[in-house]
Amino acid sequence: MLVALVKVILALSLIAAFRFVLRFKPRFDAFFKGTSDVWLAFMWVCLRLIPFLGLYTILNFKATSDLIGFYNGAVAAEQGLIPYRDFVTVYAPFYSYLTAIPIQFWDDPRAIIILMMVVEGLAVWLTYRLYRLSLTTVLLYLLLPATLLLCVIGGQEDVWMWAFGLLTIPLIQRNRILSAGIVLGLAMVATKALFVLFVPIIFFWVDNKVKLLVGMMLVGGPVLAWLYTVGDWTFLMPIQLTQDPLAPNLRSVLHPILGVLLDRFPLRLFNYMALISVVIISVSTVLRWKKAGLPYPAMLARAWVLVYTLIMFLVPSAYAVYAFGFMLPIVAGGLPIWQRGRPLTVLLLFNLLTTVQPTAWWRLGQRSYFFSDLTSPLFLLEYTMQLGIIGCLLYFVITIWSTTQPLSQSVAGSGARARQAY
């Protein structure tokens, strides 16, 4: 549990720095006013590259967790092997080929972390430009514990999907729906199967749905044909392998009370029911926002947070590291008024818990608890963290779902006034 303790200390330190910047935000805004975007690169160096160098070159930390799987897939792709047919992966068909790029220069799993940091940096820059964020807001994002620890230590890739989502903003604003469809198709073959849950919110938003589908099929059709030709139905592997119970989610927190009943049903049934619920709730909410006149950029940020929080809340095979995937959309306005009051408190608590709970859960044996297990202080502590995360997720879902009116924080505006507003 030493790793968990270290993460707690780091997370609390980052939260303290975050609160300091937020308290003196007007002074930081005044300092950054009229300055160059070079400051964004400087922040990335200070809060991503330097921590990486400190951990992995000076302290010689080794890559752990998902990074070992990423590295094994990258090595297989480097050897010219075919995903699903020749090696096991739950990611999109070209994901392993992309992660193979950095190991050409440094044959070590830690090289993949550098790729993750670079892609996150590009996503931050795109969000900064498209949503006209202030540099202070960018600094606040980079200080969030879930972003720094899950990127630099965890090497998580979920922010890749948000980067592809961002690319659709100028295309849909210019009514280039076919091109937007191509971008969605590229995302589905380059990131992970989870991206398919974000497609409906865009599909039901645009008016020319046929063009969007054609664009996706221009990319997806040939790739599916190739995968079927070389490996038959093995390309269904990501769906077949994501059936293990993880935590936290609604099923995991109910298991101590209803475990005997829940275990009577196959996990696949709960997964399918949860995924259908995610699509129904997110699409119905997006249609309501569209009717209310919410601009596409504002909708995208809110819908991205909504879909991710619903996945984490409902899907039994979801777990806490998904938090990394929607922190950028949150600061882009996905969570209304996130900089103050209750939303801020919940956001910081969520960041603290999601950086610590995965480590604790894995090291305690990845258990689905029964009531008798909670007599153990360690099991009870970890289960309490699960309850805290689920409570935060429920708050996010209710807050976002109940909001219909566009706010200045979540609409990509223009000029200095838009940047100062956020």
Side-chain angles (χ1 to χ4, degrees):
M1 299 300 287
L2 178 62
V3 176
L5 179 61
V6 171
K7 285 188 173 183
V8 169
I9 295 172
L10 290 174
L12 291 176
S13 300
L14 288 168
I15 288 174
F18 180 98
R19 294 304 300 262
F20 175 82
V21 173
L22 191 60
R23 179 179 180 182
F24 295 101
K25 187 175 183 296
R27 296 187 183 183
F28 278 91
D29 286 335
F31 174 79
F32 287 127
K33 186 176 181 180
T35 59
S36 166
D37 291 357
V38 172
W39 276 103
L40 193 150
F42 179 75
M43 294 176 195
W44 182 87
V45 169
C46 291
L47 293 171
R48 292 298 183 267
L49 185 57
I50 290 178
F52 173 86
L53 293 175
L55 287 171
Y56 295 108
T57 61
I58 299 175
L59 298 178
N60 200 32
F61 273 38
K62 302 297 181 183
T64 58
S65 188
D66 292 343
L67 283 164
I68 304 303
F70 295 163
Y71 177 74
N72 292 336
V75 170
E78 182 187 28
Q79 296 170 352
L81 301 182
I82 305 298
Y84 317 130
R85 187 194 72 178
D86 299 329
F87 63 94
V88 175
T89 178
V90 297
Y91 290 87
F94 294 142
Y95 179 78
S96 295
Y97 295 105
L98 292 173
T99 54
I101 295 173
I103 68 172
Q104 305 302 309
F105 306 96
W106 183 21
D107 190 11
D108 190 286
R110 292 171 289 185
I112 297 176
I113 299 178
I114 298 176
L115 174 65
M116 301 303 180
M117 295 187 332
V118 170
V119 174
E120 186 211 19
L122 293 173
V124 170
W125 179 79
L126 281 172
T127 307
Y128 165 74
R129 300 294 294 182
L130 292 172
Y131 284 86
R132 299 192 175 275
L133 305 182
S134 68
L135 286 170
T136 308
T137 299
V138 173
L139 177 59
L140 289 169
Y141 164 80
L142 292 171
L143 285 170
L144 284 171
T147 68
L148 194 153
L149 297 180
L150 292 176
C151 181
V152 177
I153 296 179
Q156 295 301 311
E157 80 298 332
D158 292 87
V159 76
W160 288 35
M161 295 189 290
W162 172 244
F164 278 102
L166 288 169
L167 294 177
T168 67
I169 291 178
L171 297 175
I172 289 180
Q173 287 178 327
R174 297 169 187 169
N175 204 32
R176 296 173 60 182
I177 308 302
L178 181 67
S179 299
I182 292 174
V183 169
L184 296 181
L186 290 171
M188 286 190 285
V189 301
T191 58
K192 57 199 303 185
L194 195 67
F195 190 85
V196 73
L197 294 176
F198 295 92
V199 172
I201 62 176
I202 300 174
F203 176 80
F204 284 99
W205 182 272
V206 301
D207 293 325
N208 197 331
K209 296 173 175 54
V210 174
K211 277 191 175 182
L212 193 74
L213 286 175
V214 170
M216 288 189 287
M217 287 306 301
L218 286 174
V219 177
V223 173
L224 283 176
W226 169 65
L227 290 172
Y228 182 78
T229 300
V230 299
D232 201 30
W233 293 102
T234 55
F235 66 85
L236 295 177
M237 185 181 291
I239 300 174
Q240 297 166 346
L241 292 181
T242 53
Q243 301 297 331
D244 295 329
L246 301 176
N249 48 68
L250 186 60
R251 183 182 182 276
S252 75
V253 298
L254 291 177
H255 202 273
I257 304 170
L258 304 175
V260 175
L261 175 62
L262 295 175
D263 289 342
R264 292 180 181 177
F265 301 93
L267 189 69
R268 183 171 298 181
L269 174 63
F270 290 106
N271 266 328
Y272 290 156
M273 291 175 59
L275 294 173
I276 292 171
S277 299
V278 169
V279 173
I280 292 174
I281 296 172
S282 59
V283 167
S284 61
T285 306
V286 163
L287 291 176
R288 183 163 55 89
W289 288 339
K290 184 178 181 179
K291 186 176 180 180
L294 204 66
Y296 178 74
M299 179 284 296
L300 190 68
R302 293 186 191 180
W304 214 269
V305 179
L306 179 64
V307 170
Y308 252 121
T309 52
L310 286 171
I311 291 170
M312 291 182 65
F313 185 76
L314 295 173
V315 179
S317 57
Y319 60 136
V321 297
Y322 286 173
F324 180 45
F326 61 94
M327 289 299 106
L328 254 181
I330 277 184
V331 302
L335 179 66
I337 324 176
W338 64 268
Q339 293 187 2
R340 61 180 182 270
R342 187 176 297 170
L344 174 63
T345 301
V346 175
L347 176 62
L348 294 180
L349 175 63
F350 182 72
N351 269 262
L352 174 62
L353 294 176
T354 52
T355 55
V356 179
Q357 184 274 334
T359 300
W361 186 70
W362 282 97
R363 292 180 181 272
L364 289 174
Q366 308 159 46
R367 301 172 66 94
S368 292
Y369 296 120
F370 288 95
F371 190 78
S372 58
D373 293 325
L374 301 182
T375 57
S376 165
L378 286 178
F379 290 163
L380 180 60
L381 176 61
E382 193 279 320
Y383 178 71
T384 302
M385 288 192 281
Q386 289 193 35
L387 289 175
I389 293 173
I390 290 300
C392 293
L393 290 170
L394 188 59
Y395 175 82
F396 291 152
V397 169
I398 293 173
T399 301
I400 297 166
W401 183 85
S402 61
T403 304
T404 58
Q405 297 303 315
L407 302 175
S408 61
Q409 292 98 326
S410 56
V411 181
S414 59
R417 180 180 178 183
R419 290 190 182 232
Q420 187 64 27
Y422 203 48

